[in-house]
Amino acid sequence: MHESTKTVHLGRHPDRFAGTVNTPVFRASTILSADVAEWEQKKKDRAQDKPGTYYGLMGTPTKHLLEEALAELEGGYKCQIYPSGLAACTIPILGYVRTGDHILVADSVYGPTRRFCDVQLARMGVTTTYYDPLIGAGIEALMTPATRLVFVESPGSLTFEVQDIPAIAAAAHRRGATVMMDNTWGTPLYFKPFRHGVDVSIQATTKYVVGHSDVIMGSVTCTREAWPGLKSVTTDYGQTASPDDCYLAARGLRTMAARLPIHWASGVRLAEWIAAQPEVERVLHPALPGDPGHALWKRDFEGACGLFGVVLKPMPRAARDALLDALTLYGIGASWGGFESLAMPFDPAEIRTATRWPHAGPCFRVHAGLEHIDDLIADMAAGFAALRAAA
Ligand SMILES: *Cc1c(COP(=O)(O)O)cnc(C)c1O
């Protein structure tokens, strides 16, 4: 079955719900049993990991069917929904480490994930070493007998380095470590984590799955072998999401395969147009043939989303800010993956420790939305005119 057919049909069972096309919003805390025998049976079933509706914390069919769809789409054994993408990046780590353990985290990781390692894991006596995202098989040299987990994110947040996931995973598995990946950029369609050696895959479903900038949510999908660590930690830390939000995420999923090719094509067109401007030092987009990550992207990815970075030549930050302020179709704001375009300033030098950011010029990140590409380019051209006037 093709991916677009899967996104339309997975996790949908109208026969169970009076024929409604979408799984309804089932709100619940208490789920009643008809008698004591059913109550006892449900306890047994839950202990044996059988699918069922036990208690609102673990979710109702609105959440379970979204999890079923995402697990199958990413190609994993089971999926768990989390209340945010960040919770999906952080809480699962706790299922695989204990005091005295060591983890390896890509230097290009999402900033708040890094803070969790530096503050919360450090308090628990779990140490973190940040590594060059381009390290590949060389990661083996950083592994100690205490290394339990290797965290990858590809392409990297803000800086878009593509990691050699199969090489890193092979090294990690030789040393008995679990590979956890933030796969938000790749989406469940464009990077298939379990084919490349990943054990636990994270989506900030806030982005392209929800797709409409109105829900915060995350998902974590894993292999059968990694499931015991994930299953326990999700409920032990009380992680869940509201059925209303799960409904919106499932609705977003139905059109994701139709939306993504537009984000991909517009992102590439826009990145190429921006790269041709004389004030631009580099565009950070692995789908462009000149990008250092292009060969790995071509080898491992099925497509590209609409998010990329721009490095300007050294100039006053005020010139970059004039560009961003002049844009009318691109909003200034955090997050991405919605139907609308965004452009946001960032400074990669602020957040790295294992590698040095080689560029001095100011940067900004672009999300290509679903507006017409000609309008997006015309607006960006007006932005560059404002930059020139201010430089
Ligand atoms: C947005 C994002 C997250 C966090 O998701 P939230 O739902 O905003 O908490 C995690 N990782 C990446 C790569 C992201 O872009």
Side-chain angles (χ1 to χ4, degrees), residues 20-27 60-64 66 81 209-210 214-215 217 241-254:
T20 57
V21 167
N22 294 291
T23 305
V25 175
F26 286 95
R27 287 199 192 87
T60 63
T62 321
K63 173 166 160 288
H64 296 153
L66 173 64
I81 294 293
V209 174
V210 168
D214 50 6
V215 173
M217 186 185 288
S242 85
D244 300 80
D245 285 350
C246 291
Y247 179 92
L248 287 172
R251 190 159 85 160
L253 180 67
R254 302 303 164 210

Side-chain angles (χ1 to χ4, degrees), residues 308-363:
F308 63 94
V310 179
V311 184
L312 295 167
K313 289 188 176 152
M315 66 177 70
R317 287 196 163 27
R320 180 230 11 226
D321 299 349
L323 182 161
L324 297 176
D325 285 342
L327 300 172
T328 60
L329 296 179
Y330 303 76
I332 300 174
S335 204
W336 45 280
F339 51 80
E340 84 289 13
S341 291
L342 298 166
M344 178 196 85
F346 73 92
D347 181 0
E350 274 171 3
I351 47 178
R352 322 203 127 213
T353 52
T355 51
R356 208 181 61 81
W357 181 245
H359 305 292
C363 304

Side-chain angles (χ1 to χ4, degrees), residues 101-364:
D101 284 349
H102 170 244
I103 70 168
L104 287 163
V105 176
D107 206 26
S108 51
V109 77
Y110 180 62
T113 303
R114 185 180 192 112
R115 194 166 54 233
F116 174 83
C117 298
D118 291 345
V119 179
Q120 305 304 337
L121 288 184
R123 288 179 61 224
M124 296 171 188
V126 175
T127 54
T128 304
T129 301
Y130 294 98
Y131 63 88
D132 182 344
L134 303 179
I135 198 166
I139 195 137
E140 196 145 5
L142 299 180
M143 301 193 73
T144 75
T147 308
R148 267 332 133 245
L149 189 121
V150 178
F151 197 103
V152 297
E153 182 179 332
S154 180
S157 264
L158 300 176
T159 45
F160 301 93
E161 299 91 338
V162 181
Q163 297 195 252
D164 190 341
I165 306 290
I168 291 173
H173 292 156
R174 272 197 295 279
R175 301 296 199 101
T178 298
V179 179
M180 195 174 281
M181 175 172 191
D182 185 333
N183 189 30
T184 303
W185 191 93
T187 83
L189 296 185
Y190 290 163
F191 185 82
K192 298 294 183 182
F194 306 107
R195 280 187 214 154
H196 295 93
V198 171
D199 304 301
V200 182
S201 174
I202 298 151
Q203 289 289 338
T205 46
T206 301
K207 310 291 163 55
Y208 287 109
V209 174
V210 168
H212 294 72
S213 307
D214 50 6
V215 173
I216 291 281
M217 186 185 288
S219 72
V220 186
T221 304
C222 67
T223 60
R224 184 183 286 272
E225 295 68 37
W227 172 241
L230 181 63
K231 171 192 154 87
S232 171
V233 82
T234 305
T235 23
D236 291 348
Y237 282 91
Q239 298 298 292
T240 191
S242 85
D244 300 80
D245 285 350
C246 291
Y247 179 92
L248 287 172
R251 190 159 85 160
L253 180 67
R254 302 303 164 210
T255 58
M256 186 174 70
R259 288 182 276 116
L260 273 172
I262 303 176
H263 290 291
W264 175 8
S266 292
V268 167
R269 286 274 310 276
L270 205 50
E272 283 170 341
W273 186 90
I274 291 173
Q277 305 311 303
E279 295 84 2
V280 172
E281 179 142 319
R282 246 188 91 188
V283 167
L284 312 168
H285 194 321
L288 295 200
D291 190 90
H294 185 67
L296 282 179
W297 173 79
K298 227 171 141 177
R299 186 191 73 183
D300 293 346
F301 284 74
E302 318 290 327
C305 74
L307 192 76
F308 63 94
V310 179
V311 184
L312 295 167
K313 289 188 176 152
M315 66 177 70
R317 287 196 163 27
R320 180 230 11 226
D321 299 349
L323 182 161
L324 297 176
D325 285 342
L327 300 172
T328 60
L329 296 179
Y330 303 76
I332 300 174
S335 204
W336 45 280
F339 51 80
E340 84 289 13
S341 291
L342 298 166
M344 178 196 85
F346 73 92
D347 181 0
E350 274 171 3
I351 47 178
R352 322 203 127 213
T353 52
T355 51
R356 208 181 61 81
W357 181 245
H359 305 292
C363 304
F364 62 98

Side-chain angles (χ1 to χ4, degrees), residues 1-46:
M1 218 192 275
H2 290 87
E3 300 285 275
S4 54
T5 310
K6 285 190 194 167
T7 54
V8 168
H9 285 277
L10 286 176
R12 243 176 8 87
H13 303 284
D15 50 309
R16 295 187 207 161
F17 309 114
T20 57
V21 167
N22 294 291
T23 305
V25 175
F26 286 95
R27 287 199 192 87
S29 53
T30 301
I31 314 283
L32 298 174
S33 295
D35 51 25
V36 174
E38 186 183 323
W39 170 257
E40 297 293 346
Q41 187 58 46
K42 279 195 172 187
K43 270 173 73 177
K44 273 189 217 146
D45 289 351
R46 195 168 120 64

